Amino acid sequence: MNIVLSRDSQVRVMENMVTNAEKYFGQFCSLLAAYTRKTARLRDKADQLVTRLLDFANTENAEMRATLRNFAEDLAKVQDYRQAEVERLETKVVNPLKLYGVQIKQTRAEIKKFKRVRDNEIKQLEKLEKLRQKSPSDRQMISQAETSVQRASVDASRTTHRLEETVDAFQKQKLKDLQKIFSDFVTIEMVFHAKALEVYSGAFQTLESYDLQRDLEDFRAKMRGVYGLYDARPLTDTTPSPGVPWSLPSQSAQSTIRSQRKEEEASEDDSTDEDPVEDLRGQEQGLCQ
């Protein structure tokens, strides 16, 4: 019976580990999926801002028109980096967490199998004890009961060993995956923010170099009926450098297309953007939606 109690203690430790993994990995998955969706929404709103800036630029005088166009191109470039960020978060962070639903289900199945074997061992032990108390002289029945107990004990020992190996492998893989998933998360965020900072620095310089006086003089001249006083400044080169790891073909075109598509959809109220954090245990399709 002491062996049975020892096995019970072992399986409680294993079961607690699996339960905690199921609970917290489910929460991680829900939170990071919501984080990724909100990042995509931010990208869409920024694309709309780019479109509005370009529309407004066409209504302004030469200096402001050139400045806003260059500024809008920089913002569009950042959104292309953000699109790459969203795709990488889905691939390297959210999807691996979803897969843990299947692994947890398989590990729980092994624990349930062990419990059935353990219950049978306890049942055979109880049966043997009753026979010894009620019929201590019936050696044949007692011998048969002892044989059944021995078989049940061997089966329980073999099942326990297999369960230990399964749970140990699960724990090892869980720890490695957790380290990799969050390392990938941090790397994705660092790369995005580094490239965004580079582009935003150029955008800041574009705004700082705006010549307000030239536009004012041009505007005042137009009010007096004089046109063509100044020519627009040429647009700055917004082509991403070859060293940019996330550079995409036709970046500004991609942003404009995304923006136009999103504008056709109904805008969502900000109060509905909050995604509930759920403990999604027991779902066969994964830990989060």
Side-chain angles (χ1 to χ4, degrees), residues 234-284:
L235 299 182
T236 59
D237 183 13
T238 59
T239 305
S241 63
V244 175
W246 284 358
S247 60
L248 302 171
S250 304
Q251 289 182 324
S252 60
Q254 289 183 3
S255 296
T256 303
I257 292 171
R258 283 202 309 270
S259 179
Q260 291 172 347
R261 184 180 67 250
K262 291 298 177 182
E263 280 191 285
E264 294 173 357
E265 300 175 358
S267 61
E268 299 178 4
D269 188 85
D270 290 340
S271 62
T272 62
D273 283 347
E274 292 302 321
D275 298 291
V277 178
E278 301 178 60
D279 176 6
L280 299 171
R281 286 175 284 182
Q283 292 192 9
E284 295 184 4

Side-chain angles (χ1 to χ4, degrees), residues 37-251:
R37 289 193 296 270
K38 288 181 182 293
T39 302
R41 292 188 190 114
L42 178 60
R43 171 207 62 204
D44 295 337
K45 293 298 182 184
D47 281 343
Q48 291 177 22
L49 176 59
V50 168
T51 300
R52 293 294 174 268
L53 284 168
L54 291 173
D55 289 344
F56 179 67
N58 291 330
T59 69
E60 284 297 309
N61 293 320
E63 282 293 306
M64 179 56 75
R65 181 166 62 249
T67 297
L68 287 180
R69 285 176 177 175
N70 289 333
F71 178 61
E73 286 296 318
D74 285 337
L75 286 184
K77 190 185 299 183
V78 171
Q79 304 327 305
D80 290 323
Y81 289 137
R82 188 169 272 124
Q83 171 65 19
E85 175 194 15
V86 168
E87 292 173 356
R88 290 188 172 198
L89 285 172
E90 289 176 346
T91 301
K92 292 180 171 289
V93 176
V94 177
N95 288 341
L97 285 169
K98 285 182 178 180
L99 296 177
Y100 262 83
V102 176
Q103 297 183 45
I104 287 172
K105 182 181 177 183
Q106 292 172 347
T107 306
R108 281 201 177 279
E110 289 294 324
I111 292 175
K112 287 180 180 179
K113 183 177 180 180
F114 165 80
K115 286 182 175 180
R116 288 196 298 269
V117 173
R118 178 205 57 190
D119 290 344
N120 181 57
E121 182 184 20
I122 293 173
K123 180 180 177 181
Q124 297 300 328
L125 282 168
E126 289 173 345
K127 182 178 179 180
L128 175 60
E129 287 300 316
K130 287 179 181 178
L131 278 173
R132 284 173 175 170
Q133 291 175 8
K134 292 182 178 180
S135 306
S137 59
D138 191 344
R139 297 305 305 164
Q140 183 177 358
M141 290 295 293
I142 291 175
S143 178
Q144 290 177 354
E146 287 175 343
T147 301
S148 296
V149 167
Q150 186 177 11
R151 283 200 298 267
S153 180
V154 170
D155 194 15
S157 179
R158 183 171 56 250
T159 304
T160 301
H161 180 67
R162 185 165 60 247
L163 179 62
E164 286 176 354
E165 291 180 340
T166 300
V167 174
D168 183 80
F170 175 84
Q171 174 72 349
K172 181 179 179 181
Q173 190 63 44
K174 181 197 77 175
L175 297 176
K176 287 175 62 178
D177 288 345
L178 197 63
Q179 179 189 32
K180 185 177 189 309
I181 286 169
F182 281 103
S183 293
D184 286 341
F185 172 77
V186 171
T187 301
I188 291 166
E189 291 298 293
M190 285 194 301
V191 171
F192 166 73
H193 286 290
K195 300 311 299 181
L197 180 60
E198 179 182 333
V199 177
Y200 280 136
S201 296
F204 180 81
Q205 293 300 322
T206 295
L207 295 171
E208 282 291 291
S209 63
Y210 167 61
D211 191 343
L212 181 147
Q213 193 59 38
R214 287 188 60 167
D215 261 354
L216 279 177
E217 291 175 5
D218 192 27
F219 177 71
R220 290 164 182 165
K222 286 179 180 178
M223 284 197 299
R224 299 185 183 98
V226 180
Y227 292 91
L229 186 60
Y230 295 111
D231 294 328
R233 287 188 292 116
L235 299 182
T236 59
D237 183 13
T238 59
T239 305
S241 63
V244 175
W246 284 358
S247 60
L248 302 171
S250 304
Q251 289 182 324

